[in-house]
């Protein structure tokens, strides 16, 4: 099941501590959100799942965590200074501003006026001053995508790891875009996170690798609980392709507000390394690149058979963490009618993504022996390293079940008087609501099964 509206998700996220409007107590800033106690766990788990599948489970990808502040020259050479723009229009009637390509019938969504200015390009990059004097002469951009520093580190990584093509470099981190109209909760924001892989291949093998990564990425989203029927891959029209792309496949998801991009997988050809390399004329660069008189390093690799060097092509699967989280929350959101006529909201997250892996609940909060036993169990499960286990020391059992259903905790473990006699606990399963008695000695194994 999925949520019936974005409002349902927004409300759950605030109520249960997943996501808050940023700067809330001062009225908020549009397009910025904060991840609360549950949100930060879910987000970390999603990023970890991506990292595991990209870096740990393969032997052809290395990781990177590069700086956010970027030298202007990097984004000049990459073409961002010239072309990373959206078409901006002003409504002459109510003075609001819009992205021209998102308007229907060229009408202002606010006041319905058709009296709009002609569109003009608006650069989406944020700038900040570097150093103590803010006279405009020394500044940096906040990176608008994570990948440029992967390209500038290409030689550092090949030299330090002896990787040869085909291989990839993966990075997760913040990116910033001064979106004209941020909207739809965390779907379009001004500060977000990306999970990007740049996979370097031999020219000629690029189409095959492109197809490979499209399939892999769809499979991965499915393994995170996103149902196939809500995922669609579309070939981006030639006229819509970014300046660096030979072909792009967008993975679209049926978000509560409509079908939109979750991840883009682009064949970026030799544009990136070709743009950032020294001595461009020494290589047979196929894409149209800006002349580079600043780079200090050659970014070509050896073709050992032909004893020549060439600029590798790049296949880039680029996914948004925030959009992924929204899709996952939407997929997990379930409203169930119970036999007794009540309804319950339950977040049927895959256990590896759940913010809390298990809640240990002492039935009597003022019974020292019960509380002490609950603490021992909590610590034991915590030490297994599957993620956060929580000791629930407040509220009654019914309230605890409701809360843990809504945040997607796979199991609740209750410690009661019987536990003190026979060393067994009651384990309640989130999805079936079945309760069973499990002996303390088998609990570790019982718990770990949820994550395999
Ligand atoms: P859109 O067309 O929706 O603006 P894009 O094509 O500009 O997206 P890319 O540059 O391909 O996006 O960025 C890769 C991924 O980063 C996107 O698929 C998306 O998941 C995420 N992303 C891009 N812009 C934003 C944003 N403003 N807010 C949240 N996530 C974003």
């Amino acid at each position: 099941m999925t949520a019936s509206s974005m409002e349902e998700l927004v409300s759950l996220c605030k109520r249960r501590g997943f996501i808050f409007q940023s700067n809330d107590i001062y009225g908020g800033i549009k397009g910025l959100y904060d991840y609360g106690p549950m949100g930060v766990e879910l987000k970390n788990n999603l990023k970890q799942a991506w990292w595991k599948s990209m870096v740990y489970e393969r032997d052809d990808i290395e990781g990177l965590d590069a700086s956010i502040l970027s030298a202007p020259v990097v984004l000049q050479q990459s073409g961002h200074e010239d072309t990373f723009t959206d078409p901006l229009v002003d409504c002459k009637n109510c003075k609001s501003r819009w992205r021209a390509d998102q308007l229907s019938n060229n009408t202002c969504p606010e006041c319905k006026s058709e009296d709009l200015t002609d569109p003009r390009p608006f650069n989406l990059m944020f700038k900040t001053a570097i150093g103590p004097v803010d006279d405009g002469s020394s500044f940096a951009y906040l990176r608008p995508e994570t990948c440029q520093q992967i390209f500038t580190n290409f030689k550092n990584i090949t030299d330090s790891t002896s990787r040869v093509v085909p291989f990839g470099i993966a990075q997760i981190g913040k990116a910033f875009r001064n979106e004209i109209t941020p909207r739809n909760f965390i779907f379009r924001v001004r500060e977000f996170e990306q999970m990007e892989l740049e996979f370097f291949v031999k020219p000629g093998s690029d189409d095959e690798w492109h197809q490979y990564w499209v399939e892999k990425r769809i499979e991965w989203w499915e393994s995170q609980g996103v149902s196939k029927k809500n995922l669609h891959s579309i070939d981006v029209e030639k006229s819509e392709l970014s300046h660096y792309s030979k072909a792009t496949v967008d993975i679209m998801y049926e978000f509560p507000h409509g079908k939109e991009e979750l991840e883009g997988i682009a064949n970026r050809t030799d544009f990136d390394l070709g743009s950032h390399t020294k001595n461009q004329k020494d290589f047979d660069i196929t894409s149209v690149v800006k002349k580079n008189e600043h780079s200090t390093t050659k970014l070509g690799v050896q073709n050992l058979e032909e004893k020549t060097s060439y600029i590798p092509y790049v296949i880039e699967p680029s996914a948004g963490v925030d959009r992924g989280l929204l899709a996952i929350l939407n997929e997990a959101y379930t409203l169930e009618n119970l036999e007794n006529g009540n309804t319950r909201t339950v977040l049927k997250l895959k256990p590896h993504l759940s913010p809390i892996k298990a809640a240990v609940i002492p039935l009597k909060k003022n019974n020292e022996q019960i509380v002490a036993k609950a603490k021992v169990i909590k610590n034991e499960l915590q030490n297994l390293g599957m993620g956060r286990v929580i000791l629930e020391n407040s509220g009654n059992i019914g309230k605890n079940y409701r809360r843990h259903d809504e945040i997607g905790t796979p199991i609740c473990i209750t410690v009661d008087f019987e536990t003190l006699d026979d060393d067994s606990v009651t384990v309640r399963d989130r999805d079936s609501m079945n309760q069973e008695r499990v002996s303390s000695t088998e609990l570790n194994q019982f718990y770990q099964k949820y994550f395999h």
Side-chain angles (χ1 to χ4, degrees), residues 392-433:
E392 271 302 355
N393 236 345
S394 63
N396 65 31
I397 192 112
K399 265 198 178 146
N400 279 322
Y401 284 166
R402 261 200 306 287
R403 170 173 137 75
H404 283 284
D405 281 347
E406 288 201 4
I407 61 176
T409 307
I411 52 172
C412 288
I413 299 163
T414 307
V415 179
D416 53 22
F417 287 105
E418 235 180 293
T419 313
L420 303 180
D421 288 339
D422 67 0
D423 208 24
S424 69
V425 290
T426 301
V427 182
R428 175 188 181 269
D429 177 88
R430 175 193 73 198
D431 296 345
S432 66
M433 293 191 290

Side-chain angles (χ1 to χ4, degrees), residues 99 145 177 179 186-190 192 194 196 260-264 318-320 322-323:
R99 240 177 92 168
E145 56 184 19
R177 296 184 188 179
E179 296 279 355
I186 51 169
F187 177 82
R188 185 173 301 287
V189 285
R190 291 183 167 134
F192 55 98
Q194 292 184 315
E196 292 198 305
E260 290 216 56
E261 179 182 329
L262 169 65
E263 170 162 355
S318 171
D322 311 75
R323 288 187 191 179

Side-chain angles (χ1 to χ4, degrees), residues 29-47:
I29 298 184
K30 252 187 133 193
L32 298 182
Y33 287 91
D34 296 338
Y35 287 81
M38 295 306 116
V40 63
E41 297 294 338
L42 175 57
K43 201 182 195 198
N44 282 342
N45 292 339
L46 182 65
K47 291 191 285 184

Side-chain angles (χ1 to χ4, degrees), residues 156-346:
N156 285 334
I157 291 177
T158 49
D159 284 356
S160 57
T161 63
S162 24
R163 285 278 170 214
V164 290
V165 167
F167 80 100
I169 303 174
Q171 179 169 220
I172 301 176
K174 290 256 175 162
F176 301 81
R177 296 184 188 179
N178 197 1
E179 296 279 355
I180 299 168
T181 44
R183 57 187 173 170
N184 296 320
F185 195 31
I186 51 169
F187 177 82
R188 185 173 301 287
V189 285
R190 291 183 167 134
E191 175 175 342
F192 55 98
E193 276 189 275
Q194 292 184 315
M195 306 183 281
E196 292 198 305
L197 167 70
E198 306 305 317
F199 199 79
F200 302 96
V201 303
K202 236 180 170 172
S205 67
D206 50 312
D207 292 338
E208 214 174 302
W209 276 110
H210 192 203
Q211 189 53 37
Y212 168 88
W213 278 111
V214 171
E215 284 162 22
K216 276 269 163 211
R217 296 304 304 144
I218 293 174
E219 270 170 34
W220 184 81
W221 282 113
E222 285 180 54
S223 69
Q224 304 309 306
V226 181
S227 50
K228 204 179 181 123
K229 69 173 179 19
N230 290 333
L231 288 169
H232 312 273
S233 60
I234 59 152
D235 292 314
V236 175
E237 302 244 347
K238 284 263 175 291
S239 60
E240 306 268 303
L241 288 175
S242 309
H243 58 285
Y244 49 74
S245 173
K246 169 178 162 188
T248 297
V249 174
D250 280 345
I251 303 179
M252 312 291 275
Y253 174 72
E254 305 270 359
F255 287 98
H257 64 276
K259 188 163 85 177
E260 290 216 56
E261 179 182 329
L262 169 65
E263 170 162 355
I265 300 149
N267 180 343
R268 301 177 67 120
T269 69
D270 55 4
F271 176 82
D272 302 291
L273 295 181
S275 294
H276 290 301
T277 190
K278 178 183 160 184
N279 296 358
Q280 287 165 316
K281 59 179 177 352
D282 290 357
F283 301 101
D284 195 9
I285 299 171
T286 60
S287 54
V288 180
V289 295
K290 215 182 197 145
K291 195 165 167 199
N292 194 329
E293 288 167 341
H294 309 284
S295 174
T296 57
T297 307
K298 279 193 184 189
L299 301 179
V301 298
Q302 296 295 316
N303 181 335
L304 296 175
E305 289 139 38
E306 293 171 17
K307 305 244 176 328
T308 53
S309 62
Y310 67 95
I311 299 283
Y313 269 38
V314 177
I315 308 298
E316 176 197 67
S318 171
V321 175
D322 311 75
R323 288 187 191 179
L325 205 123
L326 186 58
I328 280 162
L329 282 171
N330 186 47
E331 290 284 329
Y333 190 94
T334 311
L335 206 57
E336 261 179 18
N337 293 319
L338 303 177
E339 278 169 12
N340 62 8
N342 291 342
T343 53
R344 72 161 182 155
T345 305
V346 52

